[in-house]
Amino acid sequence: MNDLNELYQQLIIDHSRSPRNFGELSGANRIHEGYNPVCGDRLTLYIRMTGDVVEQVRFQGGGCAISMASASLMTEMLLGKRRGELKALFSEFQQLVTGKIDSSKRLGKLMVLGGVADYPARVKCATLCWHTMIAAMKDHSDDLPVSTE
Ligand code: ZN
């Protein structure tokens, strides 16, 4: 294992142990639950959109290190993104974890999950949060805030 791989692994372990943006988000206007039966990963994603822009993202749930780290890294990446960018980001991430691309400027820190491409069974763990995010964006066609209580 080379140094870069080690660095990547440390980042994944760090994010899975101390996930960023973890917890419920009051004032979320997109909420969706995702479940990966293959591994047992579960998460609920909360998004607050202001107009076309992702203003806040948080998640709750539990699962393997890959699923937690991926969700944590995704929430950081989505902040400030426009709705129109989300699908393109997801498709680029999907290409990364399935080994179709091995570099991407746009994905930044998410590149640490590129190693998942060597473990096809874990691809669903890495993409669960993204599928959940895309589903959450489809749930509501308006931007009216809904209470999380
Ligand atoms: Zn998993």
Side-chain angles (χ1 to χ4, degrees):
M1 184 180 287
N2 64 34
D3 290 348
L4 194 62
N5 276 336
E6 221 162 272
L7 187 76
Y8 281 10
Q9 286 224 330
Q10 277 169 17
L11 199 64
I12 289 171
I13 290 166
D14 174 44
H15 273 263
S16 66
R17 283 186 186 158
S18 334
R20 317 302 195 268
N21 305 305
F22 192 82
E24 226 172 281
L25 174 64
S26 62
N29 48 16
R30 302 284 189 284
I31 300 170
H32 202 88
E33 283 174 36
Y35 175 52
N36 169 21
V38 179
C39 181
D41 313 313
R42 265 178 209 284
L43 62 88
T44 306
L45 193 67
Y46 304 90
I47 305 173
R48 187 162 76 227
M49 297 293 292
T50 300
D52 225 21
V53 177
V54 177
E55 195 197 299
Q56 281 272 18
V57 193
R58 293 175 75 85
F59 77 103
Q60 274 186 323
C64 67
I66 297 288
S67 69
M68 290 293 103
S70 182
S72 173
L73 286 158
M74 181 191 78
T75 59
E76 286 192 326
M77 149 87 37
L78 294 182
L79 290 178
K81 291 285 186 295
R82 296 194 164 274
R83 187 202 304 249
E85 298 173 76
L86 302 178
K87 268 195 181 162
L89 274 172
F90 174 42
S91 108
E92 213 158 309
F93 181 73
Q94 215 164 18
Q95 290 177 53
L96 173 74
V97 294
T98 52
K100 296 194 176 77
I101 55 170
D102 55 17
S103 76
S104 157
K105 275 187 199 157
R106 209 160 28 170
L107 292 178
K109 243 198 249 179
L110 295 185
M111 291 302 302
V112 300
L113 290 159
V116 168
D118 296 332
Y119 306 91
R122 312 311 297 276
V123 170
K124 284 199 165 104
C125 303
T127 55
L128 172 67
C129 56
W130 287 89
H131 284 293
T132 309
M133 182 274 289
I134 295 293
M137 297 306 293
K138 280 184 192 155
D139 274 356
H140 304 271
S141 53
D142 57 74
D143 285 317
L144 291 174
V146 293
S147 170
T148 58
E149 266 94 41

